[in-house]
Amino acid sequence: GAVVSQHPSWVICKSGTSVKIECRSLDFQATTMFWYRQFPKQSLMLMATSNEGSKATYEQGVEKDKFLINHASLTLSTLTVTSAHPEDSSFYICSANPTGRNIQYFGAGTRLSVL
Amino acid sequence: GENVEQHPSTLSVQEGDSAVIKCTYSDSASNYFPWYKQELGKRPQLIIDIRSNVGEKKDQRIAVTLNKTAKHFSLHITETQPEDSAVYFCAAPPSGKLIFGQGTTLQVKP
């Protein structure tokens, strides 16, 4: 089956530092990947659509300069939380579509805690 | 844009009973409707999906029904078991991206 790997699974950082999260599709190519944020006991909120070889598309209210997305290859997208603050603490999850298919496969998520 | 409403937010049933979760969507162009199960701290797992060219799909104890005219779709779990306890999300994909419902916390009491 389709496997999406996400790293790290858990990260603690100091306020003001930047954190990079990687999302890899291990056995398929993904032209498009997605980044979600999930606060405790809430739903998954789409942050942005990551497009291989082009700029990411951000949802309304998501700061593109704070959440930098790079999709440099058909199997890797990265999300960098810049100048992280305690309010950025959340569960970040990526997903990927095998090219040409509707189904999204999710990474295991990254729990970010900003002190 | 697409708006997905999910009800109820919490659902408690006795083991062996059935559970039904309902979602409505707003974008008539949506043509694929997945349901995900998420256990605490883990990734969402696709449990069943349905495309707009069918009205019902069943996989063992799980079924999904779709009413395109009314723009709603439902998840049905029969003979519930304690391991069915989790948060369930519906979703609708305008233009390929998934917009999730608010989630339903299902508790199955032994």
Side-chain angles (χ1 to χ4, degrees):
Chain A
V3 178
V4 175
S5 174
Q6 185 174 341
H7 291 283
S9 57
W10 180 50
V11 58
I12 301 175
C13 70
K14 293 182 179 180
S15 185
T17 60
S18 294
V19 174
K20 180 185 283 189
I21 303 170
E22 291 189 349
C23 183
R24 293 179 186 273
S25 55
L26 297 186
D27 51 2
F28 64 94
Q29 292 185 333
T31 306
T32 305
M33 293 185 178
F34 302 90
W35 288 95
Y36 296 84
R37 180 167 52 184
Q38 186 177 34
F39 291 108
K41 296 185 179 181
Q42 293 189 22
S43 187
L44 289 86
M45 298 301 297
L46 180 66
M47 298 175 67
T49 303
S50 174
N51 306 297
E52 187 269 335
S54 65
K55 292 182 179 180
T57 305
Y58 290 82
E59 295 298 304
Q60 192 172 9
V62 178
E63 299 175 58
K64 62 180 181 180
D65 295 330
K66 181 170 181 62
F67 299 100
L68 301 179
I69 291 172
N70 184 275
H71 194 149
S73 77
L74 285 170
T75 59
L76 174 64
S77 174
T78 61
L79 169 68
T80 301
V81 183
T82 62
S83 186
H85 291 285
E87 56 266 30
D88 298 323
S89 299
S90 188
F91 192 52
Y92 293 86
I93 311 177
C94 70
S95 70
N97 280 94
T99 300
R101 297 184 63 190
N102 257 350
I103 297 175
Q104 288 192 24
Y105 297 95
F106 284 85
T110 298
R111 188 161 303 282
L112 171 64
S113 295
V114 185
L115 304 179
Chain B
E2 177 69 278
N3 184 42
V4 180
E5 296 287 334
Q6 182 173 345
H7 299 280
S9 57
T10 59
L11 181 57
S12 181
V13 301
Q14 286 296 133
E15 182 177 1
D17 288 350
S18 295
V20 181
I21 304 170
K22 298 181 179 180
C23 283
T24 61
Y25 61 98
S26 60
D27 189 343
S28 57
S30 290
N31 58 8
Y32 170 70
F33 305 94
W35 283 91
Y36 287 86
K37 175 183 180 183
Q38 188 182 29
E39 297 177 352
L40 190 62
K42 297 189 177 181
R43 78 184 82 193
Q45 297 275 7
L46 179 69
I47 56 172
I48 196 167
D49 56 16
I50 191 167
R51 299 189 183 276
S52 59
N53 57 345
V54 298
E56 183 175 358
K57 182 177 177 181
K58 190 173 181 180
D59 182 3
Q60 299 183 341
R61 296 186 298 109
I62 297 173
V64 56
T65 58
L66 170 65
N67 183 326
K68 281 217 75 179
T69 303
K71 295 183 190 172
H72 66 72
F73 56 111
S74 300
L75 177 71
H76 304 254
I77 306 175
T78 58
E79 301 171 35
T80 53
Q81 301 167 2
E83 51 265 37
D84 294 329
S85 297
V87 181
Y88 292 81
F89 294 100
C90 63
S95 305
K97 58 185 181 182
L98 282 180
I99 303 300
F100 284 84
Q102 295 84 349
T104 297
T105 301
L106 174 63
Q107 181 185 24
V108 181
K109 298 178 181 178

